[in-house]
Amino acid sequence: ILELVGATRVHGEGVRAVRALDEVDLTVRMGELVAVMGPSGSGKSTLLNLAGGLDTPTAGAVRLAGEALSDLDAKGRAALRRRRIGYVFQDLNLIPALTAAENVSLPRELDGVRLRKARREALVALEQVGVGHLADRFPDELSGGQQQRVAIARALVGPRRLVLADEPTGALDSVTGEAVMRVLRARVDAGAAGLLVTHEPRFAAWADRTVFLRDGVLVDSTADDQP
Amino acid sequence: ILELVGATRVHGEGVRAVRALDEVDLTVRMGELVAVMGPSGSGKSTLLNLAGGLDTPTAGAVRLAGEALSDLDAKGRAALRRRRIGYVFQDLNLIPALTAAENVSLPRELDGVRLRKARREALVALEQVGVGHLADRFPDELSGGQQQRVAIARALVGPRRLVLADEPTGALDSVTGEAVMRVLRARVDAGAAGLLVTHEPRFAAWADRTVFLRDGVLVDSTADDQP
Ligand SMILES: Nc1ncnc2c1ncn2[C@@H]1O[C@H](COP(=O)(O)OP(=O)(O)OP(=O)(O)O)[C@@H](O)[C@H]1O
Ligand SMILES: Nc1ncnc2c1ncn2[C@@H]1O[C@H](COP(=O)(O)OP(=O)(O)OP(=O)(O)O)[C@@H](O)[C@H]1O
Ligand SMILES: [Mg+2]
Ligand SMILES: [Mg+2]
């Protein structure tokens, strides 16, 4: 379970201070996919970065399975991120010097999984999102949508308990996008908690509920957030 | 006027050869916006890279205002790209060490435009796409959608005769996306030729016609391509 309690993030100080996220309370249970929508600049990526321990809140708390992320040291947070949390970043973040399969298997290899097993898992994940045949290409030999699907495969490989996806279908046509959502949904149905940022209503429809951000504040939600 | 005649692009050789674009004929007139749609990996970005002289065709010709791009030397092509052609790349390509305004004014400064005038033009272009207030931020201080709008402003500033936009609204919600399309359309109505890659039918609707790519081949078009 993921819990954000009064999560606030301010960039800069004094006159230049920008309140990117303001007192956000959000709970996401295992097996639940929550969509986050809102205009450009409303705080969606900031919310995902705090939820995944990639950024630290200026105020408030972020808890994963009851444990406050701020109580962990840098090493503990890095292990949690590598093992438990899968990310699809808005700017993809693929390593140009590694092939598609190597990009996907890297988090598993860092976790001590043997090379042959990590590669097998990577090929299965790439196959699931329709780019298995491109496993041995480098990122700059792939189209934008193919690169995005490699990033999705990387986020889903291994025992992820929390999946954070920032516009995972941004560069995809609707047929390819549906295929990606099916894989993401199956992962959540198998027990992970999921947060999906999207501006496409037809993809938000795959979520159990949708919350709306405006200027850093959660202004609405399609279902009651309080259990 | 932009003309592609038998434009073909093959990556790699022998067994690993990939035919990204295959014998594409396409004419785009001044004042005309043509949308390009097609599944992920179908050759859309390849088409835009050839049209803008960023990549050289393996076979066939690309002509801009009657002049074959292959007849120009590297310096001539670079000057043409800087002065006449505006690009919005799929991976944005903003320079992290420059502010939003500096990223937008750079092509003009390289062309010998004085700093104060280049900055004034940059501020107007940023204002048009709704991010004028973020002119002095660096790219990593902006959200994904805000960065995309900076890239669009850079493509439109100055006397562009050809505008190439690869999913310019990919990271934008529909309200912000409409605002961007309005600016792009106005630029084309003022006399530029425009090529727009999008997978969103509602944005393709802003174009005069749409062509469809599948496995590198132009398979369909919403209006007669022959004049
Ligand atoms: N350097 C390269 N080496 C080998 N193949 C390549 C290279 N660059 C692109 N390709 C292949 O060429 C094909 C066309 O790529 P392109 O980037 O034009 O697709 P696209 O239509 O823009 O897709 P998307 O919607 O995913 O951005 C793809 O199958 C891609 O894998
Ligand atoms: N390092 C930073 N310094 C200052 N402001 C920042 C910084 N990073 C983000 N911001 C601001 O915080 C706000 C929220 O950004 P965020 O990236 O969360 O938006 P978003 O909802 O993901 O938008 P998009 O849909 O465009 O990706 C934006 O107004 C942005 O300009
Ligand atoms: Mg974002
Ligand atoms: Mg592309």
Side-chain angles (χ1 to χ4, degrees), chain B residues 81-130:
Chain B
R81 285 203 302 260
R82 212 172 43 238
R83 259 181 227 134
R84 295 280 172 254
I85 305 174
Y87 301 95
V88 181
F89 296 98
Q90 209 168 350
D91 62 358
L92 297 189
N93 249 342
L94 294 178
I95 299 169
L98 299 182
T99 65
E102 289 166 350
N103 264 288
V104 174
S105 63
L106 185 67
R108 299 292 282 150
E109 286 172 54
L110 289 177
D111 236 15
V113 174
R114 280 197 336 283
L115 196 66
R116 260 222 312 277
K117 178 170 153 61
R119 178 168 166 92
R120 244 196 337 272
E121 281 179 356
L123 294 178
V124 167
L126 288 168
E127 201 57 53
Q128 276 186 311
V129 291

Side-chain angles (χ1 to χ4, degrees), chain A residues 25-48:
Chain A
D25 296 320
L26 182 66
T27 302
V28 184
R29 275 160 228 304
M30 292 309 178
E32 184 181 35
L33 180 62
V34 175
V36 180
M37 297 184 86
S40 172
S42 57
K44 303 183 296 294
S45 295
T46 304
L47 175 64
L48 251 57

Side-chain angles (χ1 to χ4, degrees), chain B:
Chain B
I1 202 173
L2 167 74
E3 290 166 291
L4 284 100
V5 183
T8 300
R9 178 65 166 102
V10 179
H11 294 287
E13 280 157 31
V15 173
R16 282 179 71 90
V18 175
R19 190 167 280 269
L21 212 66
D22 193 4
E23 297 284 341
V24 165
D25 296 320
L26 182 67
T27 302
V28 183
R29 271 158 232 303
M30 292 309 182
E32 184 181 32
L33 181 63
V34 175
V36 181
M37 298 183 84
S40 172
S42 56
K44 301 183 297 294
S45 295
T46 303
L47 174 63
L48 249 56
N49 289 339
L50 294 187
L54 285 176
D55 189 11
T56 334
T58 325
V62 178
R63 283 198 286 271
L64 193 64
E67 206 176 9
L69 294 191
S70 53
D71 289 350
L72 295 170
D73 61 14
K75 242 179 103 195
R77 252 212 315 273
L80 180 80
R81 285 203 302 260
R82 212 172 43 238
R83 259 181 227 134
R84 295 280 172 254
I85 305 174
Y87 301 95
V88 181
F89 296 98
Q90 209 168 350
D91 62 358
L92 297 189
N93 249 342
L94 294 178
I95 299 169
L98 299 182
T99 65
E102 289 166 350
N103 264 288
V104 174
S105 63
L106 185 67
R108 299 292 282 150
E109 286 172 54
L110 289 177
D111 236 15
V113 174
R114 280 197 336 283
L115 196 66
R116 260 222 312 277
K117 178 170 153 61
R119 178 168 166 92
R120 244 196 337 272
E121 281 179 356
L123 294 178
V124 167
L126 288 168
E127 201 57 53
Q128 276 186 311
V129 291
V131 288
H133 61 298
L134 303 171
D136 295 320
R137 289 230 201 131
F138 290 91
D140 65 0
E141 297 177 332
L142 299 173
S143 78
Q146 289 165 345
Q147 290 177 13
Q148 192 165 45
R149 283 180 283 164
V150 171
I152 291 159
R154 180 185 58 184
L156 296 176
V157 81
R160 311 289 185 201
R161 290 221 306 253
L162 174 65
V163 179
L164 305 168
D166 201 337
E167 314 263 13
T169 58
L172 302 176
D173 54 279
S174 47
V175 170
T176 316
E178 299 273 326
V180 161
M181 286 309 298
R182 200 165 301 120
V183 173
L184 193 64
R185 182 73 239 187
R187 193 47 185 250
V188 170
D189 291 342
L195 260 179
L196 164 72
V197 166
T198 179
H199 56 269
E200 291 285 352
R202 66 163 172 251
F203 293 127
W206 286 73
D208 298 301
R209 63 194 164 94
T210 300
V211 297
F212 295 87
L213 270 175
R214 185 171 294 286
D215 297 327
V217 178
L218 269 190
V219 290
D220 204 351
S221 129
T222 56
D224 189 3
D225 202 356
Q226 302 320 321

Side-chain angles (χ1 to χ4, degrees), chain A:
Chain A
I1 202 172
L2 168 74
E3 291 166 292
L4 285 102
V5 184
T8 300
R9 177 66 164 101
V10 180
H11 295 287
E13 279 158 30
V15 173
R16 281 180 73 87
V18 175
R19 189 167 281 268
L21 213 65
D22 193 2
E23 297 284 340
V24 165
D25 296 320
L26 182 66
T27 302
V28 184
R29 275 160 228 304
M30 292 309 178
E32 184 181 35
L33 180 62
V34 175
V36 180
M37 297 184 86
S40 172
S42 57
K44 303 183 296 294
S45 295
T46 304
L47 175 64
L48 251 57
N49 289 339
L50 293 187
L54 285 176
D55 189 10
T56 331
T58 325
V62 178
R63 283 200 285 273
L64 192 64
E67 204 176 11
L69 293 190
S70 54
D71 290 351
L72 295 169
D73 61 14
K75 240 176 103 202
R77 251 213 314 275
L80 181 80
R81 283 204 301 262
R82 210 172 43 238
R83 259 181 228 135
R84 297 280 172 253
I85 305 174
Y87 300 97
V88 180
F89 296 99
Q90 207 167 352
D91 63 356
L92 299 189
N93 251 349
L94 295 176
I95 299 170
L98 299 181
T99 65
E102 289 166 350
N103 264 287
V104 174
S105 64
L106 185 67
R108 302 290 283 149
E109 286 173 53
L110 289 177
D111 237 17
V113 174
R114 277 196 340 282
L115 194 65
R116 259 221 315 276
K117 179 168 152 61
R119 179 168 166 91
R120 244 196 338 272
E121 282 179 358
L123 294 178
V124 168
L126 288 168
E127 200 56 54
Q128 278 187 311
V129 292
V131 287
H133 61 298
L134 304 172
D136 295 319
R137 289 229 201 132
F138 291 94
D140 65 359
E141 296 178 333
L142 298 174
S143 77
Q146 290 165 344
Q147 291 177 12
Q148 191 164 47
R149 283 180 281 165
V150 172
I152 291 159
R154 181 184 59 184
L156 298 177
V157 81
R160 310 287 184 206
R161 286 218 302 246
L162 174 64
V163 179
L164 305 168
D166 200 338
E167 315 260 14
T169 58
L172 302 176
D173 54 278
S174 48
V175 170
T176 315
E178 299 272 323
V180 161
M181 287 307 299
R182 200 165 300 122
V183 173
L184 193 65
R185 181 73 240 187
R187 193 46 187 249
V188 170
D189 291 342
L195 261 180
L196 164 72
V197 167
T198 179
H199 56 267
E200 289 286 350
R202 66 163 171 253
F203 293 127
W206 288 72
D208 299 300
R209 62 193 163 94
T210 300
V211 296
F212 296 86
L213 271 175
R214 185 172 291 287
D215 297 327
V217 179
L218 269 191
V219 290
D220 203 353
S221 126
T222 56
D224 190 4
D225 201 358
Q226 302 319 322

